[in-house]
Amino acid sequence: QKEVEQDPGPLSVPEGAIVSLNCTYSNSAFQYFMWYRQYSRKGPELLMYTYSSGNKEDGRFTAQVDKSSKYISLFIRDSQPSDSATYLCAMVNTGGFKTIFGAGTRLFVKA
Amino acid sequence: DADVTQTPRNRITKTGKRIMLECSQTKGHDRMYWYRQDPGLGLRLIYYSFDVKDINKGEISDGYSVSRQAQAKFSLSLESAIPNQTALYFCATGTSDTDTQYFGPGTRLTVL
């Protein structure tokens, strides 16, 4: 079993839809949770970062962590074609030792 | 200027050739990483370095070697390239507290 599981998609939604991207994990030592966005032919870039459980909002993006269920989510409101990219979840254990990345979910937002 | 740069951006080589991919950073981070990315397999860690004197193997280090010439420079070598090393290669730096990573633009390597 992988430490981090992420549905690769692809996920296709119409413009303006609410998008939900999810990851599950098995290691309870993970304390830092990130979402990276990767456009085609580009390197991943940090989108959101949260520590421990709870929600964090940044504009149209909300990151949610449920440590009891070992489940994290990224919500995108009012999705735009420019949001079309691959979204990778990432997790780091206590002490920031090393990051484990999910495989990435490919998102298409249709105009 | 970009914080993490990679050279070359594209490379086509033949089986058996030795090649080197180079990475430089201006973020001042001690941690540096090399990943490869293949369709459907996500990012796979090849090697990582937490400071100039520290080099560690990742999950897929066979057939690769690295050199950390300075805090800002981390090179990846393929001693004898083979076709299944055809992939997109990324260098990244990481912060020491949370390991937040910053990626370069990638090198697209094709081994014929």
Side-chain angles (χ1 to χ4, degrees):
Chain A
Q1 181 187 6
K2 292 182 180 179
E3 284 191 276
V4 178
E5 298 278 358
Q6 183 175 14
D7 187 336
L11 178 63
S12 184
V13 301
E15 183 176 359
I18 296 174
V19 175
S20 173
L21 304 169
N22 311 293
C23 288
T24 58
Y25 63 95
S26 57
N27 187 347
S28 58
F30 288 138
Q31 293 288 340
Y32 304 101
F33 303 90
M34 290 97 162
W35 286 93
Y36 288 80
R37 178 175 61 194
Q38 184 178 17
Y39 290 114
S40 182
R41 301 183 182 276
K42 302 285 187 183
E45 57 179 346
L46 181 68
L47 184 62
M48 297 280 288
Y49 158 85
T50 54
Y51 172 70
S52 197
S53 286
N55 292 359
K56 183 174 182 178
E57 189 173 319
D58 184 1
R60 296 184 295 110
F61 298 89
T62 299
Q64 188 174 78
V65 175
D66 181 350
K67 292 191 70 181
S68 63
S69 300
K70 295 188 177 66
Y71 189 89
I72 70 169
S73 300
L74 177 71
F75 298 97
I76 307 174
R77 291 183 299 280
D78 188 25
S79 56
Q80 303 295 311
S82 59
D83 295 327
S84 297
T86 297
Y87 291 80
L88 299 93
C89 63
M91 306 178 189
V92 188
N93 61 4
T94 303
F97 176 63
K98 192 158 61 77
T99 299
I100 306 297
F101 285 91
T105 299
R106 196 161 182 194
L107 172 67
F108 295 96
V109 181
K110 300 172 293 184
Chain B
D1 288 342
D3 295 317
V4 183
T5 57
Q6 292 182 236
T7 55
R9 294 294 313 279
N10 290 282
R11 179 74 183 268
I12 300 173
T13 191
K14 294 182 178 180
T15 298
K17 294 291 187 181
R18 182 181 188 276
I19 67 163
M20 179 181 288
L21 308 183
E22 299 188 347
C23 177
S24 294
Q25 56 120 340
T26 58
K27 297 197 73 67
H29 294 155
D30 287 326
R31 297 185 180 188
M32 296 189 75
Y33 302 85
W34 275 104
Y35 294 92
R36 65 177 281 176
Q37 188 175 46
D38 301 272
L41 295 179
L43 288 167
R44 291 188 290 167
L45 183 63
I46 306 172
Y47 271 95
Y48 63 100
S49 169
F50 280 3
D51 65 42
V52 175
K53 297 181 180 179
D54 176 74
I55 301 289
N56 303 281
K57 293 182 178 181
E59 59 184 297
I60 55 161
S61 58
D62 288 349
Y64 302 94
S65 62
V66 291
S67 173
R68 185 83 185 265
Q69 300 95 326
Q71 186 206 37
K73 296 184 181 296
F74 193 36
S75 346
L76 175 72
S77 294
L78 286 69
E79 297 301 325
S80 180
I82 56 176
N84 77 0
Q85 290 177 315
T86 293
L88 190 54
Y89 289 84
F90 288 105
C91 173
T93 71
T95 62
S96 298
D97 53 355
T98 61
D99 202 40
T100 301
Q101 296 193 16
Y102 298 85
F103 287 79
T107 294
R108 186 166 295 278
L109 175 66
T110 303
V111 183
L112 302 176

